[in-house]
Every structure is written in structure tokens, then in C-alpha cells.
Amino acid sequence: ELKKAGFGDMMGKITALLDWKLSNILNDEPVNEDVYNRMKQCIINIIEKYEKEDTTEDLFNGLIISGELMTIIGNSRPASGSEHHIAHLLEINGYGNIFHGIRVGVAVHYVMKLYHIFSSFNKDNILGCLNSTVNIDEWEKGVKKYYSNFEEVLKMNKNRVLSYNNRNFREAFIKKLVDKKDEIDKLISEWNIIYEKALRIFKLFDIPHSYSSIYIEKELFIDTILYANNLRERFTILHLLHFLGCLNKDMISKIVC
């Protein structure tokens, strides 16, 4: 189980790096290319070796390298993104008994499905999101339900969520998103090749990769994906879909099945 958890945690770096680059493209968040590429190569090496030999040492070394790279950056950005936000919110709501790496590994698959949904949008679909708005009352209600420190969480996220209803902000961000859509699609496609190889290993070695495989209630898992973007101020695919008005129970229900 520890080895499976280690693999799940390392594969979490797939979506963490995707989220980092996504924020770089859309928000000009700095990316240390050396750190990014070293973390990416570490993931690839583990995937390539996993089917052929005992990778316990490689997983251990990978986690050490991950820690070193986070130290270089000064935060966990190279190793933690939307998949960790989902895993942490599950822990907050009673699933801390499941190994952290297992929760992360499960979350990766649903985050990749969210990326696939975004990839399916054409530029007209994105332009059609211009008039979308966030229901602030409903958002606050969800945060209060799933975060014990909801006052702090609301304070941390309020300005961001309110900006989603600002017409000028929406116009400017959607214009940039349309301009950068091809670049983002290429990025997702490149990472999806790596993810598909990882998915084969998840299946081959019976490593949990669905919410039901670790006995999480469906409704809770849907809401966890819906509200996990409030965990910290770090732009991810969850934030992008929330802004577009696509991150809702109906859409999430289609991938949580």
C-alpha cells in the first residue's frame, strides 16, 4: 500500500506541473524551467521503470527530489496543484485515514478529465462564457459546509470570486484565454501522453484510481471537486473552469461516474 501511495503521490506531479504552466500562460506566474523539467523527467523515469523492475528506490528518490525542487522554488508549486487540493479537502472532511498518496492518485484522474473537458471547448465556446456569473450566496454556503475554518477561507477567496462577476475582468481574461487556447491545448496534449502511460500502470498494478475504489461517497466527492479551489490562492484548472462557469455539479457528475 505504501508503494501504491508513493506512486499516486508522484503521479500527482503530472497535474501539478500542468496547473503551474497553465497559470504561467494565463497569469504570467513565473515558472522555473529547470525545476519544471527536472520534475517532469522524474515522473517519466518512474513510469518507464515501473513495469520492468522494482521501483521502490526510484519512488523514494523521486519524493526526495520533489522536496528539493520545492525548496528551490520556495513553495510546493512544482509538486502540488488541484489534485492535492482535492486530496486535502477530502482529509478535512473525514477521509484522512486513507493514505495521502492514494487520495492524490485518485484525484489526478478526475483533474485530467477536467483538462480533457477544457480541451474539448472551441474558441466560440469560451466566448460564450462571457456572461457567466458566480452565485455568491451559493458559493459561500458551500465553503461554510466543507471548511471548518470557513471565515478564513471566505476572506482569502472573496475578492477572486467577486472578480469573476466583473465585466471588464471577464472580457480581458476571456480574450487572453482565446488567444492562448492553442498553446494550452498543446500543453494538455503533451501531458496527456504521459498521463495515459501512468494510467496503464494504475490499472495493471491495481492502484486505486476512482473515488469508489477508496469508498468515498459520490456526492461528497463531487462537492469536493467543486469547492477544492478555495483551499489556497493558487491558480489551477479548477479556478479556470469556475471562472468560465463550467465547474458545477452537473458537469462534475458527468466525470464522476
Side-chain angles (χ1 to χ4, degrees):
E1 287 299 315
L2 283 174
K3 186 177 178 181
K4 290 179 179 181
F7 184 79
D9 194 53
M10 284 304 303
M11 293 308 101
K13 287 30 171 175
I14 292 174
T15 43
L17 292 178
L18 245 177
D19 284 337
W20 195 13
K21 272 287 190 177
L22 179 70
S23 186
N24 170 253
I25 293 169
L26 293 175
N27 301 318
D28 300 315
E29 180 182 345
V31 168
N32 183 313
E33 292 295 336
D34 180 61
V35 167
Y36 178 90
N37 289 325
R38 285 175 64 189
M39 190 74 263
K40 182 178 181 180
Q41 192 58 51
C42 188
I43 296 166
I44 293 171
N45 290 344
I46 289 171
I47 291 172
E48 289 179 347
K49 288 184 178 181
Y50 207 95
E51 290 185 75
K52 302 173 184 177
E53 57 191 83
D54 183 7
T55 54
T56 303
E57 185 176 349
D58 294 286
L59 286 171
F60 183 71
N61 289 335
L63 292 169
I64 292 174
I65 291 169
S66 175
E68 292 173 349
L69 296 178
M70 286 190 285
T71 300
I72 292 172
I73 297 300
N75 59 55
S76 61
R77 191 51 144 155
S80 173
S82 44
E83 76 298 323
H84 271 74
H85 299 172
I86 293 169
H88 286 310
L89 191 54
L90 285 172
E91 181 179 357
I92 290 170
N93 286 283
Y95 286 90
N97 59 316
I98 301 168
F99 283 129
H100 168 78
I102 296 293
R103 281 182 275 119
V104 169
V106 167
V108 166
H109 303 286
Y110 295 96
V111 174
M112 286 304 300
K113 288 180 180 182
L114 294 177
Y115 269 106
H116 294 159
I117 287 173
F118 178 74
S119 287
S120 72
F121 293 171
N122 58 40
K123 294 179 181 181
D124 286 337
N125 294 146
I126 294 171
L127 290 169
C129 295
L130 179 60
N131 295 319
S132 295
T133 57
V134 175
N135 184 319
I136 301 298
D137 290 339
E138 185 177 318
W139 168 71
E140 288 184 349
K141 183 179 178 181
V143 170
K144 289 177 180 179
K145 181 177 180 180
Y146 290 106
Y147 288 89
S148 56
N149 61 331
F150 64 85
E151 291 181 349
E152 178 184 343
V153 174
L154 288 173
K155 182 179 179 181
M156 178 175 65
N157 290 279
K158 192 69 174 280
N159 288 338
R160 170 182 64 82
V161 176
L162 287 174
S163 73
Y164 292 173
N165 290 344
N166 180 286
R167 181 75 179 189
N168 291 335
F169 177 80
R170 293 195 68 80
E171 288 180 349
F173 197 82
I174 283 179
K175 181 181 184 303
K176 187 169 188 178
L177 187 55
V178 168
D179 291 342
K180 298 290 186 177
K181 182 64 164 62
D182 293 340
E183 183 180 353
I184 296 170
D185 284 347
K186 182 180 178 182
L187 174 71
I188 296 170
S189 179
E190 290 172 353
W191 274 105
N192 192 59
I193 293 170
I194 297 171
Y195 165 71
E196 289 293 338
K197 293 177 180 179
L199 179 58
R200 287 198 294 269
I201 293 173
F202 272 97
K203 293 179 177 179
L204 183 63
F205 291 91
D206 196 28
I207 302 171
H209 58 281
S210 69
Y211 76 95
S212 58
S213 66
I214 53 175
Y215 307 105
I216 298 174
E217 296 175 11
K218 182 176 181 178
E219 191 63 29
L220 173 62
F221 194 67
I222 289 171
D223 282 352
T224 298
I225 295 174
L226 182 59
Y227 293 105
N229 63 338
N230 300 287
L231 194 75
R232 61 172 52 191
E233 296 178 278
R234 178 174 292 175
F235 189 85
T236 69
I237 187 65
L238 298 175
H239 297 78
L240 176 57
L241 293 178
H242 189 206
F243 164 80
L244 289 173
C246 306
L247 193 69
N248 53 58
K249 289 193 177 187
D250 288 341
M251 187 272 281
I252 298 171
S253 295
K254 293 177 182 177
I255 66 170
V256 178
C257 53

